[in-house]
Amino acid sequence: MGLDIKEYENYLTECRSFVLATAGTDNQPNLRHIGGYNLDGVDILFGTNKASQKVKEINFNTKVTALFQKENQESLRNFTVYGIIQEVEAGDIEKSVEIIKKRRPQFNYKTEDSIIYRIKPKKIKELNFSAEEKIKEYTKGEF
């Protein structure tokens, strides 16, 4: 059985932020919270400052991991998305900004300072301690 897309979308969009993991030239993992994001299908769109450390790391290594976990859950549950990240092409920036603003209206995009990324999932892991099957992993083709 494949990933329940509606459940995945609902869970991820209800999170306040997600944790993005990247690694740079030293292969040292770096984590940071990202609040200005939304989904485009199963893909994750988010914006950041062009001068940030994460942009340098993404330019070096396009493999990223994103962890989504709601606060104050009664039972532990989260989704981890493993994927490839790419800069949104110029012709798709306006549409991508509008998608992000649907979830985060205060998102502020400035052409000269900002960059929009798309995470394309290769694998999605669902951890749900209240389910009979605690860990489910889905690969492309199952979502």
Side-chain angles (χ1 to χ4, degrees):
M1 186 165 117
L3 176 68
D4 181 332
I5 298 296
K6 203 55 156 165
E7 192 173 335
Y8 167 84
E9 289 174 345
N10 288 341
Y11 189 92
L12 270 60
T13 56
E14 289 173 4
C15 291
R16 294 182 73 190
S17 63
F18 72 91
V19 177
L20 177 69
T22 60
T25 56
D26 61 358
N27 291 317
Q28 179 67 42
N30 287 304
L31 305 172
R32 72 272 291 156
H33 280 271
I34 306 289
Y37 75 91
N38 204 352
L39 299 180
D40 186 17
V42 296
D43 293 356
I44 302 158
L45 294 171
F46 73 92
T48 193
N49 186 291
K50 287 180 181 178
S52 69
Q53 181 63 33
K54 75 178 109 13
V55 171
K56 294 173 189 166
E57 293 169 359
I58 289 166
N59 287 336
F60 176 74
N61 181 353
T62 60
K63 292 180 182 176
V64 297
T65 303
L67 173 67
F68 292 81
Q69 182 171 309
K70 290 183 193 176
E71 296 177 8
N72 304 318
Q73 299 180 98
E74 286 185 29
S75 180
L76 181 62
R77 183 175 189 203
N78 61 48
F79 283 88
T80 305
V81 179
Y82 304 86
I84 302 297
I85 193 167
Q86 53 193 214
E87 186 176 345
V88 169
E89 294 180 11
D92 294 328
I93 289 176
E94 190 174 315
K95 177 185 170 199
S96 298
V97 168
E98 289 308 311
I99 289 170
I100 294 169
K101 283 186 173 190
K102 283 181 186 174
R103 188 187 153 278
R104 183 65 72 124
Q106 67 271 36
F107 178 72
N108 188 14
Y109 177 82
K110 295 179 182 171
T111 306
E112 63 279 358
D113 299 328
S114 304
I115 190 168
I116 304 289
Y117 283 113
R118 174 182 297 274
I119 301 173
K120 299 191 77 52
K122 299 296 181 192
K123 179 174 86 170
I124 297 172
K125 180 175 79 174
E126 178 183 5
L127 176 68
N128 187 347
F129 277 27
S130 66
E132 190 173 311
E133 188 178 352
K134 308 280 185 243
I135 300 173
K136 295 179 184 176
E137 291 188 358
Y138 308 96
T139 55
K140 201 166 171 114
E142 295 178 301
F143 52 83

